[in-house]
Every structure is written in structure tokens, then in C-alpha cells.
Amino acid sequence: MVVLDECGRVQHLSSAAEAALGWSREAIQGSEFFARLSPVSAASARSWLQEAFLGIHRRHTFEATTPDARTLHVAIEANPFGVPGQRGLLVLVESASEVQLAPETDRAVDFEYRVSIVPAEFGSLLSRSDGGRVAFGSKQQRCHQAIFGRDSRCTDCPLKNPDEPWPRVAVRVETDSQRFIKVLHASSRGPTEAQISVRSLPETTYGALQEARIRQLAAQAKLSGREHDILKYLLMGRAVQDIATILGITRRTVRFHQQNVLTKLGADSRLDLMRLIL
């Protein structure tokens, strides 16, 4: 049981509520209940609080953060008491279950997460946001474990090279019941944190976007039709001999056009070309 005053401040916290919510009476007494437990959803919770005092809505669910950085899904029921000017709210905690950050398995889900980039805590999961819902991590969880279900650090992690400029991009091919391309876009959140946005695209969609980007690059660099074809096959990872066979030209001609493509696009190598389309 929790007793709140008219401003939503905690006046009393029972031992049962302490155990359920993970907060001690001393730490939360006199604090605004929702601002302390759920700063992300405090604004919407205050609206519910006003309606609870009027008896319009009695039940509410929200995600609370504990002092040890666990995330709880909390369901409460509120009963107003008193008279105007001396009102209070008796809040019963119906349930408080821990939210687990399960490894990402739905290949079509887009989400974001924040991690620490401090060397001693590199990859520590700070939070994950999925469709407007935020779950907080802890320094004991690493992103490769909690997000991707891997035992070791991802070899294509966009954060692995500290000297690489922001933003950083990594592309992964995921094979499940259907084929998806997963694009990870990492941006800096200051000297200690980074945010990674994960977007999943069906292979056909990604292919169409890649084709559009190749056409844009070809137009900007004023590539010839043949150079455009060479660029497309280079980005597909085709060997020089394969390109020569497909286009019906010699390997020497392929290499000639390849060098022209690199020069016009300002790229140093075939690998550098990949940077241009990401």
C-alpha cells in the first residue's frame, strides 16, 4: 500500500509495497511517486492521477525503474479519500513483475538501444526502446547478450572502431523463415554513450534501395552506362572474371572500367565503394 497526497507525493509506503517496488521507505518518502519510479512516463501518469482523484479511473499500469536498474511492469489500483484541500490517494500495488530484455528474435521489429562506450563498461546496455516502450538495462548486461543473444561481442559491431567518425553503420543479413537485411545505425550521445537504431528490411526492399542509391551515385559521378553496370556488379561482390563473362567483355576491360569507377567516385577500393551506398 502507498499513500499519496494531492500532489502525488509519497506520504507512506508499506513494507509489502517496499518489497514489490524495490524502493525503501526512506528513499521515496516525500518524493513525487511517478517522477521517482517512472520518469519516462511521469507526464501521462500525472494525467491519470488527476482522474484517479476524481474517481474516473482507478486502475493504471506503468513501467517502473528500481534503484538497481531493474524494470518492473506495475499494476495499481487507487482509491481517493478525504475532502478537497485534504485529499489523498490510497494506492494498492496489484502486481509488479520484472521486465526481461529478451534477445531480439522478431526479424521485422525496429528498435533502438543505448550502450556505454566507456572502456571498462563497453557495450553495457543502458536502455532499449521498442515502439515507444522503454526498458532499462543494467551494467551487468552486454548488448550482444541481451539484444542479440550472442555469447561474444559482435564482429561487425558498429562501435568496435573508436576512431571511426560518427555516425557509423553496419549491415547484417538475417536468415529466418524469410530473408531480412538488418541495418544498424550508431550515433554518439556524448563521450560515454552511443545509441544504435536497428531497422529490418526485407531483402527485396533493401535491394531496391541499393539499386536507387547506385543510380544516384552513377548520375552524380556521371558514369557511363558500362561503368554503371560495372559498379553494380562490384557492389554485388562479383569477381572480375564473372563480370567479364556476364557483360561479354575481357577481364582487362573490366579492370579498366573499375579503375574509372573508383576514380570518379573518389573511392580507394571495392570495399570503400560499400561505404558510399550505406
Side-chain angles (χ1 to χ4, degrees), residues 24-276:
S24 68
R25 186 180 296 111
E26 293 76 15
I28 201 173
Q29 189 88 15
S31 300
E32 189 178 343
F33 182 69
F34 289 109
R36 177 59 66 91
L37 268 68
S38 183
V40 174
S41 58
S44 60
R46 290 188 189 102
S47 297
W48 170 82
L49 198 61
Q50 293 175 352
E51 295 176 344
F53 272 113
L54 296 174
I56 299 174
H57 290 124
R58 295 177 57 192
R59 284 186 165 82
H60 184 58
T61 59
F62 64 97
E63 287 193 349
T65 305
T66 65
D68 58 357
R70 291 180 297 122
T71 300
L72 305 177
H73 182 75
V74 180
I76 58 177
E77 180 181 351
N79 294 282
F81 65 88
V83 295
Q86 295 181 326
R87 295 186 304 172
L89 205 63
L90 181 65
V91 178
L92 301 178
V93 181
E94 295 184 324
S95 64
S97 55
E98 186 169 354
V99 176
Q100 298 293 334
L101 290 174
E104 186 273 320
T105 55
D106 185 347
R107 303 302 185 187
V109 169
D110 292 345
F111 60 95
E112 297 178 342
Y113 61 97
R114 290 189 304 113
V115 297
S116 171
I117 55 176
V118 175
E121 302 171 356
F122 185 85
S124 296
L125 184 62
L126 302 176
S127 69
R128 170 175 169 164
S129 175
D130 185 349
R133 173 178 167 274
V134 177
F136 292 90
S138 72
K139 292 184 178 180
Q140 284 69 47
Q141 294 177 302
R142 294 295 191 266
C143 53
H144 64 264
Q145 299 166 323
I147 298 292
F148 299 106
R150 300 182 179 184
D151 295 328
S152 57
R153 187 182 298 179
C154 305
T155 56
D156 58 351
C157 174
L159 305 177
K160 66 179 181 180
N161 184 0
D163 297 324
E164 186 178 346
W166 302 97
R168 305 170 189 173
V169 179
V171 178
R172 296 175 182 170
V173 178
E174 304 284 355
T175 304
D176 199 3
S177 56
Q178 52 182 318
R179 199 171 177 89
F180 281 91
I181 304 295
K182 198 174 294 293
V183 181
L184 288 75
H185 184 278
S187 56
S188 172
R189 301 255 317 202
T192 63
E193 295 181 16
Q195 178 166 305
I196 297 91
S197 300
V198 182
R199 300 291 178 262
S200 298
L201 300 172
E203 187 179 32
T204 52
T205 301
Y206 181 79
L209 291 172
Q210 191 178 51
E211 282 284 345
R213 178 59 175 154
I214 291 172
R215 289 195 299 271
Q216 181 186 44
L217 287 173
Q220 290 174 345
K222 298 182 179 179
L223 301 185
S224 67
R226 180 63 81 195
E227 289 167 347
H228 177 232
D229 292 337
I230 296 291
L231 172 63
K232 179 175 67 176
Y233 289 119
L234 287 174
L235 292 171
M236 290 172 61
R238 298 281 191 175
V240 170
Q241 182 59 61
D242 292 338
I243 298 174
T245 301
I246 293 170
L247 298 179
I249 57 180
T250 67
R251 295 174 59 183
R252 181 178 178 181
T253 303
V254 172
R255 291 196 181 95
F256 171 78
H257 288 306
Q258 176 178 316
Q259 187 56 53
N260 285 342
V261 168
L262 293 174
T263 299
K264 290 183 178 181
L265 290 174
D268 298 325
S269 63
R270 180 187 296 210
L271 184 62
D272 199 28
L273 286 175
M274 292 300 298
R275 171 185 58 81
L276 299 176

Side-chain angles (χ1 to χ4, degrees), residues 10-33:
V10 178
Q11 300 303 303
H12 175 73
L13 187 72
S14 69
S15 56
E18 281 185 300
L21 299 175
W23 285 86
S24 68
R25 186 180 296 111
E26 293 76 15
I28 201 173
Q29 189 88 15
S31 300
E32 189 178 343
F33 182 69

